[in-house]
Amino acid sequence: FGSTFSAAETQRPRSEMMGSRHLITIVIVPALLHAVAFGAMDVDNSEASKQAPDTVVEEAVMLTTSVSAEIACFCVAFAMIRFFSKAHSGKGTPMRQAGKKLCETTPEPATTLQAWRSHKRTGPIRGQELQHWADRVIATEPKAFVEEFIGHFVETSLPDDALRDGVSTLMDVAEKAGQAEIVEAVMEAAKERLGVVVDQGHAHRSRLSAHATCGSEHRVEELLRQEREQAADGTVAVSSLAVVVRGYLKAGKIQGAISQLREMVRLGHKIPPRAMSELFAAAAKAGIVKETYTSLGGQLQVPEDAVVALLDFAFRSEDFAFARDVEQLAKDQGTALKREAFEAMLKLYVKVDDGKAIEIFQRMQSAEFMPCEGLCRYLIARCADSQNVRLAESVAEHLRGRQEMSLACYKTLMKVYALNGRYGKACELYDEIKQHGWEPDAVMYGSVVKFAAKAGRTDLAHELAQKLEGGCIRNYMWLIRSAGQDGDVKRAVDTFRKLQSTQPELVDVMAYNVTIDACASNKEMALAKQLLEEMRQVYPMNLVTYNTIMKGHCVAGDLDSARRTLKEMEEAGITPDAASFSCLLSGAAKQLDCKETFRIIAELDRRKLPLDSYVVSIMMQLSRKLPNVRDAYKALSILDRPDVLIFEDEVVFNTVVDACIYRRDYKHLSRAIDGYPSSKVRASVRTYGLLIKCCAILRRTQGCWNFWDEMVDRRGIIPNDVTLGCMIDALVEAQRVEDAVALFRDWKTKVTCDTIIYSTLIKGFASIGDADRAMALFQDMRTDGVESNHIVFTALINAHAKNGLMKRAEQLMEEMDKEGCKPNAITYSTIIRGHCVRGDLSSALQVFEQMVDCGFRADAVIFNTLLDGCVQHRNFDLADELLLKMKNTKVAPSNFTLSIIVKMWSKRGDLDKAFEVVRSALEDSTGPKVDAQVGACIVGACIHNRAPERALEIFEEMKTWPSFDGPDNNTYAALISGLPRLGYLRKAVELTDEACVRLNTNPGQDKRLLAPSALAQLFRALRCERVLQELGPSLAAKLRKAGMAVDDKWLAQ
C-alpha cells in the first residue's frame, strides 16, 4: 500500500527516467573509466616503487603517463555522452538550438506567461522542465494553462509515450493546485487535439485529488459514492482514499483526512507511516496538533516519524502531560522510539529537576543511540536553568566513560554547580581539568577564582589569582567580597594590602570601595573610615563610596550618621540615587520606624526616583515585623502604587505573596493570583507552594488544584515536601479531607512526607471527628519510620478531645511524655478545650494551673479556650476573672477573644456592652482586628436580644469597615433565620437574594453556602405568613442558581 500512496502523489514520466539515465552516463561511466585506468597505474606504481626509482627522469615519465591517462578518460567519457545524446534525440525530435553566448544579454520577460512563450521556442519541453513551467503558469495564469501547454504539444512533434507523459504531468500539476476544472479541460483537450485518452482510473483519482485539495468535501463524497456504486464489492479503492487524504491535508481539512484514514482501517488496509506523519505535519502547520491527536483517540497506529513530530511539538510547547501521553501511546502500540524522539524528550524534561530526564537518557543508551557530545553539552547547559544537578552529573559521567569530556563541557558543568551554589564541586572540576593537562583561558580562571572565594577555598583563589598575574582586578574583588560575606574582615583587608604591594597599578576607587564595604557590612566602621581617609589621599569619593558608608551606618543602627553622610554627598556635588535612599530605608525598617520609612519613600517620590525591587522587598519584610497591624497594612499599601511592579521578578513576587499571606491581606492576594497567569514570573516549586497557600486563604480550592496541575502535569515539576504539605493543608482547610488523603497516598512514595504532612492529615481527621482514622494514620506514620513530635501528639489529642474522649486524650499525653515529646501551650489548650466541651470547667481549670506550674505562660489561645467554655456554660463570674487575669498578665486579646466577649455580653443581655467592645476594637489600631467572625457575633447578639433595627444598622455599617472580610455566610444566616421571628420577613427574603450574589462574586472562590437550617426556618416563616406561593418559587430558583440546596419539602403548601 505504501507504493500505492507514493504513486498517488506523482507519476514519473519517461522523460524523467531518461534524465536519470543521462545522469548515470555522465557521472558513473567516467568514474569507472578513471578507476580502471588508475587501478592499472597503481599496480604499475606499486611495482615501480619496489624498484625504488631515484632519477628525476623516471618521475617525469610517471607524471606524463598519469596526465595522459586523465586526458584519455575525459575523451572517452565525452564521446559516450555524445553518442547517448544523439541516440535519444534522434527519435523524430529536432535538436534544440544552441543557446546564446554568455556575454549576450536577453531582457527579462515582463510576466511568467511571456517568459514561458519565450522559452518554449527553444524546442519541446518535457519532464521536470515541463512540470516547472506548468507550476509557474497555473499559479499566475490559470486561464491560459490548457491552451498554452496543449498547444505546445500540438506544435511540436513528440512520440506517443512522451505525449501521454506530458498530459499526465499537466494533470498532476492541476490536481495539486486544486484546479478540478483545469483537470477536466486538460483531459478533454488531450483527447480532441492530441488523441490521448486518459485512463478512467487515473482520471477518477485526479478528480478526487483536485477536489480534495481545494477542500470541496461535498464533491469528494459524491465521487466516492459513484465509485462505490460502480465497484463489484461496493467499496472504495485504497488508492482513491490515499489521494483524498493527501488532498485534504493540503487543504487543511484535518478531520476530513482522519475520517478517510479511519475508512482505510475499516476496510482492512494498513495506513502507511508516511500518511500519519504528513497528517501531524499538517496539524502542526494549522496549530491543532493536540486536537488532532485527541480526535484519533489511539485508534490509528502512530509511526515512528509521527511520534517524533508529536514529541517535538511537546518540547516546543513545554507540554509535559502531552509528552507522557504520546510516550505511553508509543509503548502501547509497540512503536520503537527513534533517536530524534529521545532527543525531543530529553530537551523537554531537562527543563525540570526530576528523575524523568535521567531515565530517558539511560533508555536512549539502552536503545543503542549514543548521545553526541553536542547534545550532551546542550543538556548540561539547560541543567543550569532547571537546577537539575543529577542529570548534569549523569551526562558528564557518560562523557567521561567515552573519553569525550571536553573543556567546553567542563565549563558548562562548572556553571551548573555555581548556579546551584555548589562552588566546592565547581572547584573540584578545576582539579580534574588540571589532571587532563588542559590550560583554561583567562575567563575560566576568573570564574574559578570567584567559585573558590565563595567556597572558602582561599588558597586556591590566591593561587589562581597569582597564576593570572593579577591580570584582572575582578579576581581580587571576588576574594575581598567573599571574605566580607564570610565576616572575615581581616582576610578582606589583607587581600587588599597584597594587591597594593604586588600590583599597585590595579588599585583604584573600585578596589577601595569593595574593601570598605567588607568592613562596613561587618560593623567595623572604624576600619572602614581609616580606609576611607587613605583613599581620599589618592582618589575622590564617588557615589558608590558614599552609599557604602551609609550602608555601614545603617547596619550599625546609626541612622543619624547615615543621614549626615547623605548630606555630605550632596554638598560634594554628587546626586544620590535610588540605592542611596534604599540604604536609609533599610536602616529605618530595621528599627521598625514606620513613619521614617514613609518619609524616605516620599523623598524618593520628590526626587522622581523609582521604587525598585529592593525597596518593595524592604517594605514587605517590614510589614511582617511591625507589631501594629495598621502600620503593617500601611506598609503593604505601597502595592497599590502603579509604579510598583511585582510581576517582573520571581523573588519580588514571592516576597510580596509571603508578606500578604502572613498578614491575611485578601485584597493584594487576590491581585497577585489574578495577575500571575499573564505575568513574566516563571514559578519555581517554592512559588507554587505560595500560590497554593494563597488560594487556600482566599478559599479558592479549585485554584489550588489548577496550580498543582500546572506544576506537576504541564511543567513536570516534582513537588517537594513543603509544596505537598501546602496542598494537603489547603484541602484539609476546605474540609476535603478525603481528597487530601488520596493526594497523600499518590505522592507518598515520590516525596519524603515529613511530620508536618502527617500532622496536617491527623488534624483533618480531627476536624471531621474521626479519631479512629487519626490513630490509624499515626500507626502508619510509625511504620514508615517518621518521627513523632509534639505537633502530631497535639493533633491526636485534639481528635479525641473534640469528641469528649478525655480519658484517651490524657493517655496520649502520658505516651507523649514517655517518648520525650514535651507538651506545649497548644497541647494544654487542647486538653482544656476537651474538658470545656464536656462542661467540666473545674477540670479545665486544673489543667490550666498544671500548665502554669510547668512554667508555661498562658497565651491568648489558652484564655480563649477557657473563656469560650465559660460563655457556653454561662459561668460569667469565672469569665470575668479570666478577662481580668488576661489583662494583668498583659496577654493581648485576639479577634477570637473579641468574638467570645461579644457573645458573652449578648448572653448576659447587655447589648450596649457588646457594641462597646466592637467600637473600641475598631478605634484601636494596636489591638485585634475586627473580622467576619466578630461581625457575625455582633449581628447574632442583636437578634438574640430582639433588636432587629440595630442588627440591620450594624450590618450595613460593617460593609464600610476597612480591610473587613465580611459579611460572611454566618452573618447572613443569623439575619435570615432571626429577622422573620421579629417581624422582618420580607427583609429576610431581600437579604437572601443579596447573599446569593454577594457571597459568590469572587471568581474561583469556593461556594459560601447559607446554613440549611437558616433557609428551612425562612421557608417555614413564608408558609406561616401565607406568602410561600408568592415568594417561595422565585427565591428557591435564585438559591439553586447560587449552588445552594433547596429541599422540595420547604415549598410544600
Side-chain angles (χ1 to χ4, degrees):
F1 176 73
S3 60
T4 305
F5 193 89
S6 300
E9 178 186 8
T10 180
Q11 296 177 358
R12 295 179 62 193
R14 181 175 298 178
S15 58
E16 294 183 35
M17 297 168 64
M18 291 301 298
S20 299
R21 290 172 187 158
H22 279 169
L23 181 64
I24 294 171
T25 303
I26 294 170
V27 177
I28 303 300
V29 172
L32 288 173
L33 290 171
H34 186 280
V36 170
F38 276 88
M41 283 187 62
D42 287 342
V43 173
D44 294 339
N45 289 340
S46 62
E47 292 297 326
S49 64
K50 296 176 184 178
Q51 300 170 9
D54 54 2
T55 64
V56 177
V57 176
E58 289 175 327
E59 292 180 2
V61 171
M62 291 176 64
L63 179 60
T64 304
T65 306
S66 175
V67 173
S68 302
E70 290 278 5
I71 295 172
C73 287
F74 175 79
C75 293
V76 173
F78 184 76
M80 293 182 68
I81 292 169
R82 293 285 296 172
F83 174 77
F84 282 111
S85 297
K86 287 182 178 180
H88 177 65
S89 60
K91 298 179 180 180
T93 305
M95 291 292 292
R96 186 174 301 178
Q97 296 178 359
K100 296 183 179 181
K101 295 181 180 179
L102 291 176
C103 60
E104 295 181 16
T105 58
T106 304
E108 282 289 324
T111 65
T112 300
L113 196 58
Q114 290 175 352
W116 153 249
R117 289 171 178 170
S118 174
H119 185 75
K120 71 178 181 179
R121 297 192 191 101
T122 61
I125 310 300
R126 54 200 299 183
Q128 291 183 346
E129 191 177 13
L130 174 64
Q131 183 175 343
H132 165 75
W133 283 105
D135 285 332
R136 289 183 61 182
V137 171
I138 203 168
T140 57
E141 303 285 349
K143 293 182 179 179
F145 182 83
V146 176
E147 178 58 36
E148 286 296 327
F149 290 100
I150 296 295
H152 174 66
F153 291 157
V154 171
E155 294 170 359
T156 57
S157 300
L158 288 173
D160 292 344
D161 289 347
L163 286 175
R164 282 193 292 272
D165 289 345
V167 171
S168 177
T169 298
L170 296 180
M171 291 176 64
D172 288 344
V173 169
E175 70 182 56
K176 288 176 183 177
Q179 299 282 3
E181 294 180 357
I182 293 180
V183 170
E184 297 290 347
V186 168
M187 290 191 291
E188 183 178 350
K191 181 179 179 181
E192 293 180 356
R193 302 176 64 181
L194 302 176
V196 175
V197 178
V198 179
D199 174 74
Q200 290 186 356
H202 183 194
H204 177 67
R205 287 191 296 274
S206 294
R207 294 186 181 101
L208 279 173
S209 178
H211 286 296
T213 303
C214 68
S216 179
E217 294 184 79
H218 174 73
R219 182 62 180 142
V220 168
E221 289 302 320
E222 182 180 343
L223 289 170
L224 292 177
R225 179 184 57 77
Q226 294 174 2
E227 183 175 348
R228 289 189 191 94
E229 292 175 352
Q230 296 172 6
D233 56 358
T235 62
V236 176
V238 68
S239 57
S240 298
L241 295 174
V243 296
V244 171
V245 169
R246 182 173 296 279
Y248 277 159
L249 291 178
K250 289 180 181 177
K253 298 283 185 179
I254 307 297
Q255 291 303 320
I258 292 174
S259 65
Q260 299 304 325
L261 290 172
R262 284 179 175 152
E263 178 68 9
M264 290 185 191
V265 174
R266 190 186 69 80
L267 295 174
H269 300 297
K270 183 179 178 182
I271 296 178
R274 183 176 178 183
M276 292 297 293
S277 298
E278 291 190 4
L279 170 66
F280 286 111
K285 186 176 180 181
I288 53 171
V289 173
K290 286 188 70 173
E291 294 82 349
T292 302
Y293 175 83
T294 303
S295 66
L296 291 176
Q299 299 173 0
L300 301 180
Q301 183 74 24
V302 180
E304 296 175 357
D305 289 337
V307 170
V308 171
L310 292 171
L311 289 174
D312 185 67
F313 169 81
F315 156 62
R316 297 183 186 284
S317 58
E318 295 189 11
D319 195 330
F320 294 88
F322 184 58
R324 284 193 291 271
D325 287 346
V326 174
E327 185 184 2
Q328 187 61 46
L329 178 67
K331 182 179 179 181
D332 295 341
Q333 294 186 347
T335 303
L337 296 180
K338 299 179 71 174
R339 174 189 292 273
E340 294 81 1
F342 281 113
E343 290 180 355
M345 288 193 293
L346 279 173
K347 290 177 182 178
L348 173 65
Y349 288 110
V350 74
K351 297 180 180 181
V352 294
D353 182 16
D354 64 2
K356 185 68 174 176
I358 296 177
E359 174 203 329
I360 293 170
F361 189 70
Q362 293 170 346
R363 283 169 47 198
M364 182 178 185
Q365 296 172 66
S366 300
E368 298 184 356
F369 295 128
M370 288 299 108
C372 64
E373 192 263 351
L375 174 64
C376 291
R377 187 142 42 94
Y378 171 87
L379 294 176
I380 296 174
R382 296 287 76 76
C383 287
D385 300 328
S386 63
Q387 299 185 348
N388 195 342
V389 179
R390 293 177 300 162
L391 176 61
E393 290 177 334
S394 297
V395 175
E397 195 59 36
H398 167 75
L399 289 174
R400 288 188 184 102
R402 288 166 47 183
Q403 302 294 315
E404 292 182 4
M405 191 67 176
S406 63
L407 184 60
C409 290
Y410 276 111
K411 269 186 178 180
T412 310
L413 183 58
M414 198 175 282
K415 179 183 176 184
V416 175
Y417 282 136
L419 289 177
N420 282 272
R422 300 174 68 173
Y423 300 107
K425 295 288 289 183
C427 294
E428 289 176 12
L429 289 179
Y430 170 72
D431 297 334
E432 196 174 328
I433 290 171
K434 284 172 58 179
Q435 293 173 6
H436 283 290
W438 295 333
E439 188 67 26
D441 56 18
V443 175
M444 190 173 186
Y445 268 128
S447 298
V448 179
V449 169
K450 177 173 68 174
F451 303 152
K454 286 179 172 289
R457 293 185 59 177
T458 311
D459 295 340
L460 176 61
H462 281 290
E463 174 194 331
L464 294 177
Q466 291 175 354
K467 183 171 289 192
L468 286 170
E469 297 180 352
C472 182
I473 185 66
R474 240 177 353 185
N475 299 329
Y476 280 99
M477 298 301 98
W478 277 114
L479 293 172
I480 297 170
R481 189 176 290 117
S482 174
Q485 291 171 351
D486 293 341
D488 193 341
V489 177
K490 183 179 182 303
R491 175 157 55 94
V493 176
D494 288 347
T495 304
F496 175 70
R497 296 304 184 197
K498 182 177 180 181
L499 174 64
Q500 280 183 313
S501 61
T502 57
Q503 299 184 74
E505 72 278 2
L506 294 181
V507 178
D508 57 6
V509 177
M510 182 173 67
Y512 272 106
N513 285 340
V514 172
T515 311
I516 292 170
D517 182 59
C519 298
S521 299
N522 290 283
K523 300 183 181 180
E524 293 284 352
M525 287 303 296
L527 189 53
K529 289 178 180 178
Q530 179 183 333
L531 286 166
L532 180 63
E533 290 303 320
E534 181 183 318
M535 186 191 84
R536 279 176 162 173
Q537 303 302 318
V538 186
Y539 303 106
M541 294 174 62
N542 62 10
L543 176 63
V544 176
T545 313
Y546 280 108
N547 285 348
T548 303
I549 295 297
M550 287 175 60
K551 174 185 172 184
H553 288 309
C554 291
V555 169
D558 189 354
L559 199 58
D560 292 336
S561 294
R563 282 205 165 276
R564 283 195 295 271
T565 304
L566 180 68
K567 186 177 179 181
E568 291 175 12
M569 183 195 313
E570 292 187 292
E571 290 173 351
I574 298 176
T575 303
D577 64 356
S580 308
F581 289 97
S582 293
C583 292
L584 291 175
L585 189 69
S586 177
K590 187 176 180 181
Q591 297 178 4
L592 302 182
D593 191 339
C594 190
K595 289 183 180 179
E596 180 64 14
T597 55
F598 275 96
R599 201 192 70 74
I600 294 169
I601 289 177
E603 183 68 15
L604 281 166
D605 291 337
R606 188 183 70 79
R607 294 173 182 258
K608 296 182 180 179
L609 293 172
L611 298 188
D612 57 18
S613 58
Y614 188 58
V615 171
V616 176
S617 297
I618 292 172
M619 295 304 290
M620 294 304 101
Q621 293 166 14
L622 176 64
S623 71
R624 288 179 59 102
K625 296 175 182 177
L626 284 169
N628 187 299
V629 177
R630 292 199 176 182
D631 285 346
Y633 272 91
K634 188 177 181 182
L636 290 170
S637 68
I638 70 160
L639 299 175
D640 297 324
R641 294 175 51 132
D643 57 334
V644 172
L645 307 176
I646 69 170
F647 297 109
E648 301 295 314
D649 177 72
E650 184 196 3
V651 175
V652 175
F653 180 77
N654 288 352
T655 306
V656 169
V657 173
D658 188 48
C660 293
I661 287 173
Y662 183 81
R663 287 297 179 183
R664 292 299 193 265
D665 186 344
Y666 300 100
K667 179 180 74 172
H668 292 117
L669 284 177
S670 296
R671 290 182 184 174
I673 289 294
D674 296 339
Y676 164 78
S678 58
S679 72
K680 297 179 180 178
V681 176
R682 184 169 178 81
S684 63
V685 67
R686 179 176 183 270
T687 307
Y688 279 115
L690 290 170
L691 290 170
I692 290 169
K693 191 182 293 186
C694 179
C695 286
I697 292 172
L698 295 173
R699 300 190 186 94
R700 300 186 186 182
T701 308
Q702 186 55 49
C704 296
W705 278 119
N706 291 342
F707 284 123
W708 180 266
D709 291 341
E710 178 185 316
M711 175 181 66
V712 174
D713 294 333
R714 293 200 289 279
R715 293 194 56 198
I717 297 176
I718 299 297
N720 57 21
D721 55 336
V722 176
T723 309
L724 178 61
C726 289
M727 188 65 199
I728 290 176
D729 185 63
L731 294 172
V732 168
E733 288 295 320
Q735 297 294 307
R736 300 186 184 183
V737 180
E738 298 303 329
D739 290 343
V741 173
L743 185 69
F744 168 73
R745 301 293 183 201
D746 287 344
W747 287 92
K748 183 179 177 182
T749 58
K750 304 171 188 174
V751 178
T752 301
C753 293
D754 58 8
T755 308
I756 297 175
I757 293 177
Y758 278 98
S759 63
T760 302
L761 288 169
I762 291 171
K763 284 193 293 184
F765 289 131
S767 68
I768 59 177
D770 196 337
D772 293 336
R773 291 180 70 186
M775 285 302 299
L777 185 62
F778 178 62
Q779 296 302 327
D780 289 346
M781 177 180 172
R782 287 186 161 178
T783 303
D784 294 338
V786 180
E787 287 188 11
S788 303
N789 61 11
H790 67 279
I791 299 174
V792 174
F793 276 105
T794 300
L796 283 171
I797 291 169
N798 185 41
H800 291 83
K802 286 189 72 171
N803 293 317
L805 303 173
M806 294 310 300
K807 186 174 181 180
R808 180 60 181 137
E810 289 168 353
Q811 289 174 352
L812 284 167
M813 196 163 183
E814 293 174 4
E815 187 177 340
M816 175 182 182
D817 187 58
K818 289 178 182 178
E819 293 197 10
C821 296
K822 299 299 179 182
N824 61 4
I826 297 176
T827 312
Y828 282 105
S829 172
T830 304
I831 294 290
I832 292 170
R833 185 183 296 109
H835 288 303
C836 291
V837 167
R838 299 181 64 184
D840 190 355
L841 294 179
S842 60
S843 296
L845 285 172
Q846 287 178 6
V847 175
F848 176 75
E849 297 298 336
Q850 179 186 349
M851 180 196 75
V852 175
D853 292 341
C854 289
F856 287 102
R857 182 178 180 272
D859 59 5
V861 175
I862 297 290
F863 278 108
N864 287 343
T865 303
L866 284 168
L867 277 172
D868 192 46
C870 293
V871 172
Q872 291 294 332
H873 298 284
R874 306 184 72 84
N875 192 336
F876 301 126
D877 292 338
L878 180 57
D880 289 338
E881 289 179 22
L882 289 168
L883 286 171
L884 182 60
K885 190 169 185 177
M886 193 174 181
K887 182 179 180 181
N888 292 336
T889 55
K890 296 181 179 180
V891 175
S894 65
N895 55 341
F896 188 50
T897 312
L898 288 181
S899 65
I900 295 170
I901 296 173
V902 170
K903 284 190 286 186
M904 180 188 72
W905 289 117
S906 173
K907 289 192 176 185
R908 284 177 151 182
D910 195 339
L911 192 57
D912 290 337
K913 284 281 190 182
F915 269 86
E916 183 181 330
V917 170
V918 176
R919 299 287 184 205
S920 298
L922 288 169
E923 294 170 2
D924 184 6
S925 62
T926 61
K929 179 184 173 184
V930 177
D931 63 0
Q933 185 177 15
V934 177
C937 287
I938 190 63
V939 167
C942 294
I943 297 297
H944 180 73
N945 287 275
R946 306 186 68 78
E949 295 86 357
R950 296 188 74 175
L952 292 171
E953 180 183 344
I954 195 68
F955 174 73
E956 292 300 326
E957 180 188 329
M958 68 178 61
K959 295 176 183 178
T960 64
W961 292 344
S963 303
F964 181 63
D965 59 338
D968 63 0
N969 51 339
N970 293 327
T971 310
Y972 278 102
L975 290 169
I976 290 167
S977 61
L979 287 176
R981 300 196 307 269
L982 302 174
Y984 287 80
L985 177 59
R986 290 188 179 272
K987 184 62 177 178
V989 173
E990 179 185 325
L991 290 174
T992 306
D993 290 346
E994 180 183 313
C996 289
V997 177
R998 190 181 180 91
L999 291 179
N1000 299 292
T1001 53
N1002 296 327
Q1005 192 174 48
D1006 296 347
K1007 295 285 186 182
R1008 293 187 289 171
L1009 307 179
L1010 295 170
S1013 58
L1015 293 175
Q1017 291 181 50
L1018 176 61
F1019 278 93
R1020 192 179 303 118
L1022 291 174
R1023 188 184 305 109
C1024 292
E1025 294 297 325
R1026 301 181 183 279
V1027 291
L1028 180 62
Q1029 187 173 0
E1030 175 191 349
L1031 302 176
S1034 61
L1035 181 61
K1038 292 176 183 177
L1039 287 167
R1040 284 169 174 158
K1041 185 177 180 181
M1044 302 186 200
V1046 177
D1047 194 332
D1048 291 336
K1049 295 178 182 178
W1050 298 349
L1051 295 169
Q1053 293 294 328

